[in-house]
Amino acid sequence: MVSQNELIREARENGMDLLPLDKDTYELFFGPQHMATENFSIILKMDGHRVVKAIANPGFLHRGFEKLAEYRPWHTNIALLLRICVPEPDVPEAIYSMAVDEIIGWEVPERAQWIRTTVLEMARVSAYLFWIMGLSFKLGVYTAGQWAAAYRERLMALFEQLTGARVYHIYTIPGGVRRDIPGDKWLRQLKDTVEYIRSKLPDFDNLVFENYVAHRRLEGIGVMDKKFALAEGVTGPNLRATGVPYDVRRADPYLLYPELDFEVPVLKEGDALARALIRRFELEQDLYILDQLLEIGPPSGPYKVEDPRLKNLPRFKVPAGDAFAHVESTKGDFGAYVVSDGKHKPYRVQIRGPSIAHGVRVLEQLLVGARIADVPVILMSLDNCPPDIDR
Amino acid sequence: MGEVKWEREQMLVDKILEKAPYAEGKVRRERRIEFSIPADRIRDFLMLLKENDFELMLQITTVDWPNDGELELIYQMWSVTHRTHAMVRTRIPRDLDKARMPTVKDIYPVAETYERDAHDFFGVYFEGNEKMEMPWILDDTEQGLFPHRKDFDMLTYVKKKYKLLDRFDEDKDNYVI
């Protein structure tokens, strides 16, 4: 343990003026209103400006989605479950719909599959831009954050044309999608947007990902290794940053992903910098996937299954059974387990949010020994989505 | 149809069942397998799965079956090596004093979080998990109040707790909150 005087001296050298409450440690409540924690609360035990112990304290966002889902007809649940992860609302829609499709035994038409894949990839790009915004703000590079928000706005506009809503799309439904794509003009606009965002990536590199100051802030903090990450159930970019090439799009292929060509970037360091770089590489891969999808073009045909049961949605029944479906989101492996007892409402829905693995136990362990200034950076490098935990 | 198509999955199931004669297993479809085992063998079985390269625990699902008087626990595992999802099902009694399970947090550390979740919402007590007593998501300390159980009357609870909802029409046949 570093002595108290040393800690205070180190803090003063770093421009901080700290007055510990007692001789040894003091307690610091971090969040949930603090904007650096994004609606998440952590109770920190501090020694000077170093964290001695961290306790994740979820529950401030809890709205009981899973319980509410048992009270609603099958289709209206889409409008509820997508609120689980706001930066990437299409993922909960897709997993719930895929699980219901599997229980019923529906083969989703090709056109719907193309649209679902495109929407999921657009959601990934938009969520990564949102994440760049968050990380840049926490590192103090506000310019890059504002750029990212502005570029994301272009995707929001496209989503609005496609679904009628900017953030909560309510678009993917069991059996396909709610309505058809607006037309060729929309496809051209999407192509332009993909080109535009790609042309702006070097700016982000210069300002954030190759920036000396950003590297100093990210390098070597929040380090986890492969074994630890697997035992703790970490998935997605956080796991790939430790050297495990696990991506649901490759490991358990769904929709059009088996036909698409993309790389799964892997790094070995497992620190915050590696996690940030993985996300930067994946953003590029997602743009490349969108390119390919636009090149294939939407196949002709219906955009949802033609089934008489879809005519009367409030009385829509799903045969008894259960299914588990999962997709790769920007946070990790996002899954839904749905049980039906043959009635108008689901019997049980459980959402497997990726953040419940890396946002509670892993976070508590990675924060120990970190400086207070690193806490938001570690939190952001894990890309914690608190509503995943507080389902 | 299944036998020929999902040979890899069938081989995996056979290999695991050979070492676990107490379990029943089957292939559901491509990359999806399923086992059901008695509740007291859950630790042995999960250790066996870990030896067979099921590295990730995706979640622990609890499903309430009040008509059978049972709670179903489903341990959802993923193997990065075999690229297969395995559901391990087990059933325990629903009564609060009998709804007890041994913890598996020493085998899969992440289980600690899911066990706390199952304890908070269903009242399953996991022996050996020292965080059982720690408040998790719910701040209500009323005894025997487990909101995900099917006999939990959400409407009455909400109306008691939040008086505002009284103005809603409760004679509706198909009440959706």
Side-chain angles (χ1 to χ4, degrees):
Chain A
M1 183 69 70
V2 199
S3 80
Q4 192 73 23
N5 288 340
E6 264 179 70
L7 281 168
I8 294 172
R9 205 193 64 232
E10 194 187 332
R12 295 244 163 82
E13 277 170 9
N14 283 302
M16 279 180 246
D17 202 12
L18 277 178
L19 289 174
L21 293 182
D22 63 32
K23 208 158 179 290
D24 300 324
T25 54
Y26 60 96
E27 204 173 34
L28 182 68
F29 282 65
F30 200 62
Q33 284 92 351
H34 194 287
M35 59 180 201
T37 63
E38 319 208 318
N39 307 341
F40 197 64
S41 164
I42 315 168
I43 301 170
L44 299 171
K45 202 172 164 193
M46 306 291 299
D47 184 350
H49 72 309
R50 293 230 177 240
V51 180
V52 180
K53 194 181 175 190
I55 299 169
N57 185 22
F60 293 92
L61 270 169
H62 187 62
R63 279 170 285 179
F65 294 120
E66 289 175 1
K67 185 71 184 174
L68 281 172
E70 294 171 11
Y71 282 76
R72 288 161 183 266
W74 287 95
H75 270 77
T76 54
N77 272 330
I78 298 283
L80 175 78
L81 293 174
L82 85 172
R83 284 166 168 79
I84 283 175
C85 197
V86 181
E88 210 178 1
D90 305 280
V91 170
E93 289 179 28
I95 48 178
Y96 175 74
S97 306
M98 280 158 66
V100 176
D101 288 343
E102 194 183 323
I103 299 176
I104 306 180
W106 270 341
E107 278 291 326
V108 180
E110 273 179 23
R111 190 178 177 85
Q113 290 201 15
W114 185 90
I115 299 175
R116 277 187 185 184
T117 320
T118 310
V119 166
L120 278 175
E121 284 306 316
M122 283 168 69
R124 279 176 69 86
V125 174
S126 115
Y128 275 139
L129 288 173
F130 199 71
W131 170 81
I132 292 180
M133 182 181 86
L135 183 78
S136 314
F137 281 6
K138 264 124 234 177
L139 292 173
V141 200
Y142 289 89
T143 316
Q146 282 154 1
W147 286 346
Y151 304 152
R152 182 171 176 264
E153 208 54 33
R154 293 190 160 223
L155 283 165
M156 294 288 108
L158 287 173
F159 270 127
E160 191 173 3
Q161 282 183 40
L162 179 68
T163 67
R166 277 163 45 83
V167 178
Y168 295 125
H169 306 141
I170 319 178
Y171 185 61
T172 310
I173 56 168
V177 291
R178 190 155 51 86
R179 60 190 209 197
D180 206 353
I181 43 176
D184 289 346
K185 193 184 163 203
W186 184 83
L187 292 173
R188 278 200 304 279
Q189 281 175 339
L190 178 58
K191 198 170 169 55
D192 289 349
T193 306
V194 170
E195 289 292 316
Y196 182 74
I197 295 174
R198 184 181 293 115
S199 73
K200 297 296 179 188
L201 286 182
D203 295 350
F204 285 123
D205 288 348
N206 288 333
L207 211 49
V208 185
F209 298 104
E210 288 170 5
N211 182 342
Y212 175 71
V213 178
H215 271 230
R216 286 290 301 273
R217 290 292 307 276
L218 290 166
E219 208 167 3
I221 64 167
V223 187
M224 55 180 168
D225 65 2
K226 200 186 213 173
K227 209 176 149 206
F228 171 82
L230 280 173
E232 293 287 354
V234 176
T235 49
N238 298 335
L239 181 63
R240 291 195 284 277
T242 66
V244 183
Y246 169 54
D247 185 315
V248 186
R249 294 175 294 178
R250 281 274 186 253
D252 191 8
Y254 50 94
L255 301 175
L256 289 183
Y257 287 110
E259 297 161 30
L260 296 169
D261 168 45
F262 62 94
E263 276 174 34
V264 180
V266 175
L267 287 175
K268 287 211 163 50
E269 290 78 9
D271 58 354
L273 181 64
R275 294 195 280 272
L277 291 176
I278 287 272
R279 292 198 168 86
R280 158 69 182 79
F281 296 144
E282 290 206 352
L283 179 55
E284 205 169 336
Q285 290 298 320
D286 292 334
L287 294 171
Y288 175 50
I289 292 175
L290 276 174
D291 270 349
Q292 293 175 53
L293 284 166
L294 286 167
E295 201 162 298
I296 301 169
S300 55
Y303 58 91
K304 62 179 173 188
V305 288
E306 282 166 16
D307 194 297
R309 281 178 285 186
L310 282 178
K311 293 279 188 286
N312 185 2
L313 287 182
R315 292 281 130 199
F316 174 74
K317 281 185 186 177
V318 170
D322 63 343
F324 176 82
H326 59 164
V327 308
E328 180 73 24
S329 81
T330 55
K331 326 278 178 221
D333 185 341
F334 218 119
Y337 178 68
V338 181
V339 185
S340 166
D341 63 346
K343 298 214 177 89
H344 307 112
K345 296 165 188 169
Y347 188 76
R348 172 91 166 102
V349 179
Q350 193 187 23
I351 301 291
R352 192 264 172 194
S355 303
I356 200 165
H358 63 239
V360 184
R361 270 179 62 90
V362 171
L363 183 71
E364 284 173 357
Q365 292 171 58
L366 293 191
L367 284 184
V368 174
R371 295 180 309 157
I372 182 80
D374 292 337
V375 173
V377 178
I378 292 180
L379 197 58
M380 205 60 218
S381 77
L382 287 169
D383 204 0
N384 194 3
C385 189
D388 277 7
I389 301 166
D390 295 351
R391 292 140 4 242
Chain B
M1 158 191 172
E3 301 290 316
V4 188
K5 213 172 161 187
W6 302 315
E7 214 172 291
R8 194 175 58 86
E9 284 79 4
Q10 191 62 49
M11 271 165 64
L12 193 61
V13 170
D14 292 343
K15 193 177 147 198
I16 291 167
L17 284 186
E18 199 178 301
K19 285 186 191 155
Y22 48 84
E24 287 169 32
K26 65 172 186 193
V27 180
R28 278 169 74 105
R29 67 168 176 87
E30 198 184 4
R31 295 187 297 275
R32 294 279 188 281
I33 58 177
E34 188 179 329
F35 299 97
S36 63
I37 52 165
D40 53 340
R41 303 304 294 268
I42 195 83
R43 287 181 53 84
D44 302 340
F45 193 77
L46 288 187
M47 261 184 242
L48 181 66
L49 277 192
K50 188 152 197 183
E51 281 162 23
N52 282 287
D53 301 323
F54 279 82
E55 300 97 339
L56 281 172
M57 171 176 269
L58 288 184
Q59 65 179 7
I60 302 175
T61 311
T62 319
V63 187
D64 189 11
W65 300 100
N67 294 341
D68 307 341
E70 283 177 320
L71 286 173
E72 186 173 24
L73 286 174
I74 305 162
Y75 293 76
Q76 311 211 16
M77 319 296 297
W78 177 264
S79 163
V80 177
T81 316
H82 302 301
R83 310 201 323 181
T84 303
H85 177 257
M87 282 202 233
V88 182
R89 291 161 178 278
T90 182
R91 287 199 174 215
I92 54 171
R94 201 169 169 276
D95 305 336
L96 277 179
D97 47 341
K98 288 183 198 150
R100 294 174 100 78
M101 282 291 283
T103 181
V104 291
K105 64 171 275 197
D106 48 332
I107 309 169
Y108 291 98
V110 67
E112 183 188 275
T113 315
Y114 302 125
E115 285 173 0
R116 286 169 85 183
D117 187 282
H119 177 67
D120 230 19
F121 292 101
F122 286 92
V124 187
Y125 192 90
F126 290 87
E127 282 157 16
N129 186 342
E130 63 271 19
K131 294 224 171 142
M132 278 291 100
E133 308 300 336
M134 220 169 129
W136 172 229
I137 282 179
L138 303 177
D139 55 359
D140 232 318
T141 49
E142 255 180 81
Q143 280 295 308
L145 203 66
F146 298 109
H148 263 313
R149 289 193 168 211
K150 287 282 173 186
D151 53 7
F152 174 80
D153 188 350
M154 182 159 77
L155 188 57
T156 314
Y157 174 78
V158 168
K159 283 171 87 172
K160 200 175 103 194
K161 185 145 183 164
Y162 310 99
K163 302 276 186 302
L164 263 176
L165 278 163
D166 276 348
R167 62 191 168 169
F168 287 100
D169 176 17
E170 61 183 276
D171 298 328
K172 266 189 191 170
D173 188 29
N174 200 3
Y175 202 100
V176 176
I177 290 181

